[in-house]
Amino acid sequence: MLPPRHLLLQRQQKPPGIPYGSDAHDALTLIVAELCANAVSHGLVPGRDFRLRLSAEDTTVRVEVTDTRGERLPALTEPSAADREGGRGLLLVGALTDRWGWFPRTDGPGKTVWASLDVRPL
């Protein structure tokens, strides 16, 4: 059984033109899972949820995850040798995407972390 964070993209309709099980599909699944896991782990405020938005333009898919913790900003850090189970999510996102970043929410407290990936067939 897949952990809940991996079920999210599996249960959504795949973006048009991205074959299930392809490198692009697998990368998008991991990107969504990591950004959503970060929102739950680091952006969660009791009683508030996070928002996921997937959009596509031409051959680029953009993932946006919005949470309500504006004071906890994403940053790439090297995990310590003792930290075997965490601290690598944004390193994976950075390695898999063409671009990623964040911006403050305009409609309330918090931030949106985004990543974009060119899914053009190789």
Side-chain angles (χ1 to χ4, degrees), residues 43-49 68-69:
L44 188 65
V45 173
R48 305 271 177 142
D49 290 326
T68 53
R69 295 280 305 265

mmCIF file of all heavy atoms in Angstrom, residues 43-49 68-69:
data_model
loop_
_atom_site.group_PDB
_atom_site.id
_atom_site.type_symbol
_atom_site.label_atom_id
_atom_site.label_comp_id
_atom_site.label_asym_id
_atom_site.label_seq_id
_atom_site.Cartn_x
_atom_site.Cartn_y
_atom_site.Cartn_z
ATOM 1 N N GLY A 43 4.322 23.291 7.140
ATOM 2 C CA GLY A 43 3.420 24.411 6.900
ATOM 3 C C GLY A 43 2.066 24.262 7.549
ATOM 4 O O GLY A 43 1.193 25.111 7.359
ATOM 5 N N LEU A 44 1.887 23.204 8.323
ATOM 6 C CA LEU A 44 0.580 22.922 8.895
ATOM 7 C C LEU A 44 0.274 23.820 10.088
ATOM 8 O O LEU A 44 1.087 23.969 10.997
ATOM 9 C CB LEU A 44 0.506 21.459 9.328
ATOM 10 C CG LEU A 44 -0.854 20.957 9.770
ATOM 11 C CD1 LEU A 44 -1.836 20.979 8.614
ATOM 12 C CD2 LEU A 44 -0.737 19.553 10.330
ATOM 13 N N VAL A 45 -0.887 24.430 10.059
ATOM 14 C CA VAL A 45 -1.446 25.167 11.179
ATOM 15 C C VAL A 45 -2.705 24.408 11.581
ATOM 16 O O VAL A 45 -3.526 24.088 10.715
ATOM 17 C CB VAL A 45 -1.796 26.620 10.777
ATOM 18 C CG1 VAL A 45 -2.540 27.332 11.881
ATOM 19 C CG2 VAL A 45 -0.529 27.384 10.408
ATOM 20 N N PRO A 46 -2.862 24.076 12.875
ATOM 21 C CA PRO A 46 -4.052 23.320 13.279
ATOM 22 C C PRO A 46 -5.337 23.975 12.767
ATOM 23 O O PRO A 46 -5.516 25.182 12.852
ATOM 24 C CB PRO A 46 -3.985 23.331 14.801
ATOM 25 C CG PRO A 46 -2.523 23.470 15.100
ATOM 26 C CD PRO A 46 -1.987 24.363 14.004
ATOM 27 N N GLY A 47 -6.196 23.143 12.179
ATOM 28 C CA GLY A 47 -7.463 23.628 11.657
ATOM 29 C C GLY A 47 -7.391 24.173 10.243
ATOM 30 O O GLY A 47 -8.400 24.600 9.695
ATOM 31 N N ARG A 48 -6.217 24.163 9.637
ATOM 32 C CA ARG A 48 -6.038 24.666 8.268
ATOM 33 C C ARG A 48 -5.501 23.556 7.384
ATOM 34 O O ARG A 48 -4.754 22.698 7.828
ATOM 35 C CB ARG A 48 -5.047 25.836 8.234
ATOM 36 C CG ARG A 48 -5.388 26.968 9.139
ATOM 37 C CD ARG A 48 -6.265 27.930 8.420
ATOM 38 N NE ARG A 48 -6.652 29.002 9.323
ATOM 39 C CZ ARG A 48 -6.753 30.244 8.959
ATOM 40 N NH1 ARG A 48 -6.508 30.600 7.729
ATOM 41 N NH2 ARG A 48 -7.125 31.149 9.832
ATOM 42 N N ASP A 49 -5.871 23.595 6.131
ATOM 43 C CA ASP A 49 -5.372 22.635 5.158
ATOM 44 C C ASP A 49 -4.362 23.312 4.248
ATOM 45 O O ASP A 49 -4.053 24.487 4.415
ATOM 46 C CB ASP A 49 -6.525 22.103 4.302
ATOM 47 C CG ASP A 49 -7.459 21.193 5.075
ATOM 48 O OD1 ASP A 49 -6.972 20.475 5.962
ATOM 49 O OD2 ASP A 49 -8.662 21.201 4.793
ATOM 50 N N THR A 68 -0.382 27.755 5.145
ATOM 51 C CA THR A 68 -0.671 28.970 5.914
ATOM 52 C C THR A 68 0.463 29.365 6.860
ATOM 53 O O THR A 68 0.261 30.199 7.730
ATOM 54 C CB THR A 68 -1.971 28.790 6.724
ATOM 55 O OG1 THR A 68 -1.883 27.607 7.500
ATOM 56 C CG2 THR A 68 -3.163 28.703 5.801
ATOM 57 N N ARG A 69 1.657 28.809 6.694
ATOM 58 C CA ARG A 69 2.791 29.172 7.543
ATOM 59 C C ARG A 69 3.777 30.017 6.744
ATOM 60 O O ARG A 69 4.684 29.508 6.111
ATOM 61 C CB ARG A 69 3.519 27.922 8.045
ATOM 62 C CG ARG A 69 2.755 27.013 8.960
ATOM 63 C CD ARG A 69 2.680 27.454 10.398
ATOM 64 N NE ARG A 69 3.899 27.714 11.087
ATOM 65 C CZ ARG A 69 4.533 26.835 11.861
ATOM 66 N NH1 ARG A 69 4.101 25.615 11.983
ATOM 67 N NH2 ARG A 69 5.611 27.195 12.499
#
